Amino acid sequence: MRVNVRAGYAASIGAMLGLRLYPLGQDEVHTFDKGARFQAPLGQSVNMHHTPTRFSEVVPVSDILPVVLHREVEVEVLPSDCACCWFPWTLASGDATANDNPLHAIWAVCRQDESVSRFVDDLIFGSAACIQAMATVVEVDDAELNQQQLAAVARASSAKLTLVQGPPGTGKSEVAAAIVQQWVKDDTESVLVATSTHAAKDVLAERLRRRQIRPSTRARNQRPQESKDSQVFVETVYMSSARTDRTVQKVLLDESSQITTAAALVALTHGCEKLVLIGDPQQLGPVSSFGPVSSTSSFAAFAEERRSFFEVLADRFQLQPHRLQVQHRMDSRLCEYPSHRFYGGQLETAASVEVGGVAERMFPPGLTFKAGTPGHPVVFVDTSEIQTCREKLVPFFGSLSLHNRMEAQIVAELLHGFKEAAVDPSCMCVLTAYKAQDSLLAEAIHGSSSTERVKMRKGRTTMIREQGVDPLSKEPHPRIYTVDGFQGNESDYVFYSAVRSGSTATGFVGNPQRLCVLLTRARRGLIIVGSRETLQHTEEWQQWLQSAEKQEFVVDDELVARLQRREVAQRGPL
């Protein structure tokens, strides 16, 4: 792949990607050392040659980051088939878009603005000096933390750059709060805790309050909520751009495996001198810093950015993240498979974790035990033999998505059985991978209007940012989420609708990171409804179906017939 960059003013290119530069008019290949920059005179073009690792590879923002743009940069992508596409990348004065924050941050780094410390400059352009530990060894005493968590706090207090990998349930949020508390004890410098989501922001703010720290949180059009002595800001990475009148030398990025390089820079361009990243690359990674874009968008070339800042730094500096290995969430039987499949068998269960399980009495009449271990907290309800339980591609608010009407009815019936067994609805949640199925499940379970629900959820971020109110708090239990939207959350009982059935394709349902998230959300029981016949065509699902200990059920013909009649009465012929 060749990327041709025409810079209207100047170009600044580092060799953090191992790229070779071919200035026009010169035959010699120039390889620039780490941290070096190439300044292009006005009007000169620069070619960057990059060998793709797969066909039709996109150009992620983290790869193009060292290219300075002052007025306009045009990126020409030439895949192996020699097709040519132009993506003008512009940010005209006064042209406000949702993508302004990462672009302004990129500009600040490449122009070497005063807001960008030498430390951040070294992080981006690859100088090893930025990872050297501080001279002082800090002793940490915290009765609420285990030894691994204490070691993470001590490391974060002594090093300029710290990466902490926290598998599900290992107390990442508690460690983050403890690190901030230690920082506040050490000196009076301001601290910024930046997260990828509002949900994570709220969790961390609450953890800090438990430790008698009053963080500053902010909604748009509101004054910061802080005391005079508060030096701790808790915001999403994009919220952090609104406060340009502050210097924050210590930054903690929570859920950083979901934050891209461009997004991280939004939080780092306030004079950062010390950085902690907490995340888990085994779970779902980031989406593009530039949001969902159409094929005609100026940012289409960058829409597939998937590599997190956590992974970029770990690879660049050959860092071994400090890993937390004791989980406090799941019944040990729920933990067993994901521990071996995704974490090398090193994930341990704390003795304090309550024992869960799913008893047969919790199921509604019409489900028959087929195989496995009775009472096991992992359950698979196989729909392979139900001919009407098939996926369907449907229009969904200007796009296309998949749903499975009979599967939604089966999940609704399972929830009814658990309620009859005296399980509190607030202790249950439903997950799926497809937005159309998410809406269908809401209709089947709560009778919710798809149009109103989608409209409300689309406006959720705006309501949180501007009013400080989360509309999801008004939704009835059990609540329905996509797997991606539920990362970082947990529930006693998790029900999953796999949707895919009637073909050999599983789409992104078989993504390993997505499966890791799904299998690690439940505290007491995980109930998966899907077609073994279809799911087994994906390696990850095949491994789970064959290797994971569980109990398996099938749906009796009589119950299938009753659910079919109910579905037809509600939404017409199947």
Side-chain angles (χ1 to χ4, degrees):
M1 176 183 293
R2 186 185 71 186
V3 181
N4 177 268
V5 182
R6 289 184 182 174
Y9 178 72
S12 175
I13 300 176
M16 68 176 185
L17 308 163
L19 298 175
R20 290 183 173 182
L21 309 184
Y22 295 74
L24 293 185
Q26 299 185 29
D27 295 327
E28 183 181 358
V29 175
H30 296 268
T31 303
F32 292 83
D33 294 331
K34 288 185 178 181
R37 289 179 170 80
F38 181 81
Q39 299 291 337
L42 182 64
Q44 180 172 322
S45 296
V46 178
N47 289 341
M48 295 193 306
H49 287 243
H50 177 43
T51 303
T53 57
R54 61 183 184 277
F55 182 71
S56 68
E57 182 183 19
V58 298
V59 183
V61 173
S62 56
D63 285 14
I64 204 94
L65 177 64
V67 180
V68 163
L69 49 154
H70 186 68
R71 287 294 179 188
E72 178 174 336
V73 169
E74 290 182 337
V75 181
E76 176 189 14
V77 182
L78 296 179
S80 58
D81 60 2
C82 295
C84 180
C85 299
W86 286 89
F87 301 93
W89 191 7
T90 64
L91 186 64
S93 178
D95 180 21
T97 73
N99 305 313
D100 283 359
N101 290 339
L103 285 178
H104 281 302
I106 291 171
W107 274 15
V109 171
C110 293
R111 289 197 308 255
Q112 295 180 287
D113 285 0
E114 291 183 359
S115 63
V116 180
S117 66
R118 175 59 186 272
F119 170 65
V120 172
D121 190 83
D122 286 343
L123 285 178
I124 300 305
F125 292 99
S127 170
C130 67
I131 64 171
Q132 293 177 355
M134 306 289 281
T136 305
V137 177
V138 178
E139 292 187 7
V140 180
D141 183 17
D142 192 320
E144 296 185 20
L145 304 182
N146 60 38
Q147 290 302 312
Q148 292 175 351
Q149 293 169 329
L150 287 170
V153 176
R155 182 167 170 177
S157 299
S158 63
K160 296 182 70 175
L161 174 64
T162 303
L163 274 61
V164 179
Q165 181 182 359
T170 53
K172 293 188 293 293
S173 298
E174 198 61 49
V175 168
I179 289 171
V180 172
Q181 185 177 45
Q182 189 67 41
W183 280 352
V184 172
K185 286 180 182 177
D186 289 346
D187 50 50
T188 58
E189 294 173 350
S190 294
V191 173
L192 171 62
V193 179
T195 67
S196 60
T197 65
H198 289 283
K201 169 179 69 70
D202 294 342
V203 167
L204 276 175
E206 180 58 32
R207 294 293 173 91
L208 288 170
R209 292 187 189 101
R210 292 180 190 174
R211 290 175 173 267
Q212 308 305 311
I213 296 173
R214 295 180 60 189
S216 166
T217 57
R218 178 187 53 80
R220 184 177 288 183
N221 300 326
Q222 295 179 355
R223 294 181 64 82
Q225 304 165 12
E226 58 184 292
S227 61
K228 291 183 179 180
D229 59 349
S230 174
Q231 298 294 321
V232 179
F233 305 96
V234 181
E235 302 161 354
T236 66
V237 285
Y238 294 112
M239 287 169 65
S240 66
S241 67
R243 302 285 296 274
T244 58
D245 58 340
R246 64 183 177 185
T247 298
V248 185
Q249 295 187 345
K250 295 181 178 180
V251 178
L252 185 148
L253 296 181
D254 189 38
E255 299 290 355
S256 61
S257 52
Q258 289 188 288
I259 298 174
T260 62
T261 299
L265 284 176
V266 178
L268 299 184
T269 50
H270 300 281
C272 176
E273 297 289 353
K274 179 179 283 193
L275 175 63
V276 172
L277 292 93
I278 300 179
D280 182 14
Q282 292 299 111
Q283 298 184 61
L284 285 165
V287 295
S288 173
S289 301
F290 296 99
V293 295
S294 66
S295 59
T296 59
S297 167
S298 299
F299 304 101
F302 310 124
E304 297 298 322
E305 183 182 18
R306 290 293 184 270
R307 202 151 182 255
S308 70
F309 194 42
F310 186 104
E311 294 170 289
V312 168
L313 293 184
D315 289 350
R316 183 175 306 152
F317 299 114
Q318 296 297 299
L319 292 176
Q320 185 65 40
H322 179 89
R323 182 186 281 186
L324 307 176
Q325 295 178 321
V326 180
Q327 66 90 15
H328 302 261
R329 174 185 299 166
M330 300 168 276
D331 179 304
S332 60
R333 294 168 294 175
L334 282 164
C335 177
E336 184 177 357
Y337 179 82
S339 173
H340 285 88
R341 182 65 178 172
F342 304 112
Y343 299 103
Q346 297 182 348
L347 195 55
E348 305 169 15
T349 300
S352 59
V353 174
E354 294 184 5
V355 176
V358 178
E360 192 168 352
R361 64 174 178 80
M362 302 168 79
F363 291 105
L367 268 78
T368 300
F369 180 81
K370 182 182 178 181
T373 307
H376 197 277
V378 180
V379 175
F380 180 63
V381 179
D382 188 6
T383 64
S384 299
E385 300 302 318
I386 305 174
Q387 295 303 311
T388 54
C389 195
R390 295 292 182 263
E391 67 187 60
K392 184 178 181 181
L393 185 66
V394 294
F396 187 74
F397 294 92
S399 183
L400 292 174
S401 186
L402 288 171
H403 74 197
N404 187 321
R405 292 169 58 186
M406 272 299 293
E407 194 169 279
Q409 289 290 349
I410 292 170
V411 171
E413 189 70 10
L414 289 170
L415 290 168
H416 179 71
F418 273 63
K419 291 177 186 176
E420 289 294 307
V423 178
D424 191 319
S426 65
C427 295
M428 300 183 284
C429 77
V430 182
L431 304 183
T432 186
Y434 296 95
K435 290 183 178 180
Q437 186 73 354
D438 177 294
S439 287
L440 188 61
L441 285 161
E443 288 183 21
I445 297 165
H446 301 302
S448 305
S449 164
S450 294
T451 301
E452 291 301 317
R453 188 167 181 273
V454 170
K455 185 185 299 183
M456 180 273 292
R457 289 206 169 193
K458 281 188 174 180
R460 182 189 177 208
T461 299
T462 301
M463 287 186 67
I464 293 173
R465 185 177 62 239
E466 297 185 353
Q467 303 174 27
V469 176
D470 188 349
L472 285 188
S473 63
K474 299 180 181 179
E475 287 194 355
H477 292 285
R479 291 176 180 158
I480 301 102
Y481 305 88
T482 60
V483 175
D484 300 47
F486 202 64
Q487 179 161 319
N489 294 285
E490 59 189 72
S491 180
D492 280 356
Y493 295 96
V494 173
F495 296 76
Y496 177 69
S497 173
V499 178
R500 303 311 294 255
S501 180
S503 69
T504 59
T506 60
F508 56 66
V509 167
N511 174 275
Q513 286 78 20
R514 188 166 283 106
L515 194 59
C516 179
V517 172
L518 166 64
L519 297 178
T520 55
R521 298 307 96 194
R523 289 187 287 260
R524 302 179 64 83
L526 171 65
I527 300 90
I528 294 177
V529 181
S531 167
R532 172 186 285 272
E533 188 176 284
T534 296
L535 294 176
Q536 67 185 0
H537 290 283
T538 298
E539 180 184 355
E540 284 300 327
W541 278 105
Q542 182 184 54
Q543 285 292 328
W544 182 81
L545 289 165
Q546 292 179 349
S547 305
E549 187 179 354
K550 56 188 170 296
Q551 48 180 332
E552 299 190 36
F553 288 80
V554 293
V555 185
D556 295 349
D557 292 343
E558 184 177 341
L559 177 57
V560 170
R562 180 163 65 83
L563 295 179
Q564 286 175 346
R565 290 194 297 270
R566 186 168 73 188
E567 174 61 23
V568 170
Q570 292 177 350
R571 274 172 287 275
L574 286 162

